[in-house]
C-alpha cells in the first residue's frame, strides 16, 4: 500500500461494493486521496484502480447490521492516525437496504430490524465515532448522509426504508445544531441523490403489483429514461460534497443544485 502523504484527503465510504457507492469509490480513488470503504465484501476492481491512481485504499469487509462493531473499528483507526495526518476528512454514509416490499402488516420483524440497523442505526453510530475521533483535528470535516426522496414522501409498502431515511434526515438536523455550537464543528448534510438506475430500482420494479401500488411509477421511470446512471449520480453527489456552502442546508436534494 502506498504511503499516505501529509496533504492527503480522507474519505470514509459505506456501501462501496455496488451501485452509486461503487461509482463514488471509483471517482474518489485519485492521487492525494485516502479512501476507507466499509462494505460487506472487498472489491478487487477498486484495488486495481487504487494502484493505478496512486491512491491509498483500505477495504473493510463489514456487515453494517453490526453498526457498533463498525463504529468501534472506525474510532480506533481514526485515533491511530493522529490530527496531523490528513488535510481534510469526510464520512459518506451511503449504505442502505430495502426489506421485502410489502405492507407493514405482512413484514417480517427480523427483516425490518435489519433495514433499520443498516439504514439508520449504523449511520448514526459511524457519525458519532467519526465526529468524536476527529473533534480535535484542525481540518475541514464533513459528514454526507445519502438520503432519499422517500424520507420526505411516504410510500405504501416501504415503511422501513422511508422511516430509515426520514430518521437520517432528522438526526442530521440535530447533528448540524450540535456542530454549529462548536468552534471547529463539522459540516453535515443529508442529501437525496435523485432516482438512480441501481439494483434497488430493479428490486422495486420486480415487486408484486398487489404488494406495491407504486410499481407502475417506477416502471415508467425506467421506460422513460429518467433514471440517472450510478456514475452520473456519483459525480453530482461528490460535487455537492465539494461545494463551498456544503452544510448550509442540513437536508437537501441534489436536484436543487
Amino acid at each position: 500500500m502506498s504511503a499516505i502523504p501529509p496533504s492527503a484527503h480522507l474519505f470514509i465510504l459505506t456501501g462501496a461494493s455496488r451501485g452509486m457507492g461503487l461509482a463514488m469509490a471509483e471517482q474518489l480513488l485519485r492521487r492525494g486521496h485516502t479512501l476507507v470503504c466499509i462494505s460487506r465484501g472487498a472489491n478487487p476492481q477498486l484495488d486495481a484502480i487504487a494502484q493505478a491512481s496512486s491512491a491509498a485504499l483500505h477495504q473493510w469487509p463489514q456487515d453494517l447490521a453490526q453498526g457498533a462493531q463498525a463504529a468501534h473499528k472506525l474510532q480506533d483507526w481514526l485515533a491511530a492516525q493522529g490530527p496531523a495526518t490528513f488535510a481534510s476528512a469526510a464520512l459518506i454514509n451511503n449504505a442502505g437496504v430495502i426489506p421485502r416490499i410489502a405492507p407493514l402488516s405482512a413484514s417480517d420483524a427480523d427483516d425490518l430490524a435489519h433495514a433499520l440497523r443498516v439504514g439508520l442505526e449504523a449511520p448514526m453510530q459511524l457519525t458519532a465515532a467519526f465526529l468524536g475521533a476527529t473533534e480535535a483535528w484542525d481540518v475541514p470535516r464533513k459528514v454526507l448522509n445519502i438520503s432519499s426522496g422517500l424520507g420526505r414522501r411516504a410510500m405504501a409498502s416501504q415503511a422501513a426504508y422511508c422511516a430509515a431515511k426520514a430518521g437520517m434526515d432528522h438526526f442530521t438536523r440535530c447533528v448540524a445544531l450540535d456542530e454549529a455550537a462548536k468552534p471547529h464543528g463539522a459540516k453535515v448534510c443529508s442529501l437525496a441523490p435523485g432516482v438512480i438506475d441501481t439494483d434497488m430500482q430493479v428490486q422495486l420494479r420486480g415487486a408484486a403489483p398487489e404488494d406495491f401500488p407504486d410499481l407502475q411509477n417506477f416502471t415508467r421511470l425506467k421506460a422513460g429514461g429518467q433514471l440517472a446512471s450510478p456514475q452520473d449520480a456519483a459525480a453530482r453527489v461528490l460535487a455537492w460534497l465539494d461545494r463551498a456552502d456544503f452544510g448550509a442546508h442540513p437536508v437537501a436534494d441534489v436536484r436543487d443544485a
Side-chain angles (χ1 to χ4, degrees):
M1 183 177 297
S2 56
I4 301 172
S7 60
H9 297 276
L10 172 65
F11 298 90
I12 301 151
L13 172 66
T14 68
S17 61
R18 61 182 181 174
M20 189 180 72
L22 176 59
M24 282 194 286
E26 292 170 344
Q27 293 174 30
L28 286 169
L29 284 172
R30 297 175 4 212
R31 186 177 183 83
H33 285 187
T34 295
L35 176 62
V36 177
C37 293
I38 308 175
S39 305
R40 280 180 294 180
N43 188 321
Q45 177 182 339
L46 294 180
D47 287 325
I49 296 172
Q51 185 172 6
S53 62
S54 299
L57 173 65
H58 304 264
Q59 296 200 67
W60 295 353
Q62 174 69 54
D63 182 356
L64 286 169
Q66 305 297 324
Q69 185 179 83
H72 290 314
K73 180 173 182 177
L74 177 62
Q75 192 164 26
D76 291 344
W77 186 84
L78 288 168
Q81 305 312 303
T85 303
F86 300 105
S88 68
L91 168 66
I92 306 173
N93 284 308
N94 167 71
V97 296
I98 292 181
R100 189 177 76 83
I101 300 166
L104 189 64
S105 59
S107 298
D108 175 76
D110 290 336
D111 201 23
L112 293 172
H114 181 262
L116 290 169
R117 285 181 183 134
V118 174
L120 180 57
E121 186 176 290
M124 290 187 73
Q125 292 165 323
L126 289 168
T127 299
F130 173 78
L131 293 175
T134 63
E135 191 155 29
W137 294 16
D138 190 19
V139 300
R141 296 174 301 133
K142 297 178 180 179
V143 176
L144 174 58
N145 290 323
I146 303 301
S147 184
S148 169
L150 294 185
R152 302 154 202 182
R153 176 173 65 87
M155 181 172 285
S157 299
Q158 286 291 287
Y161 186 78
C162 289
K165 294 305 185 182
M168 175 177 275
D169 285 351
H170 211 48
F171 99 70
T172 304
R173 293 185 182 100
C174 296
V175 174
L177 294 175
D178 292 342
E179 295 301 305
K182 299 175 182 178
H184 303 289
K187 303 298 182 183
V188 300
C189 180
S190 186
L191 182 68
V195 286
I196 309 165
D197 198 1
T198 63
D199 290 346
M200 194 171 287
Q201 287 285 328
V202 174
Q203 185 179 351
L204 291 169
R205 294 194 302 272
E210 62 271 20
D211 289 335
F212 190 34
D214 286 271
L215 174 62
Q216 288 188 353
N217 293 334
F218 285 89
T219 302
R220 280 195 292 266
L221 287 172
K222 176 66 172 178
Q226 298 179 59
L227 301 177
S229 72
Q231 293 74 22
D232 288 345
R236 287 199 294 269
V237 165
L238 294 177
W240 194 283
L241 179 65
D242 199 42
R243 287 169 60 131
D245 65 346
F246 178 87
H249 301 286
V251 174
D253 191 305
V254 75
R255 290 164 290 193
D256 294 337

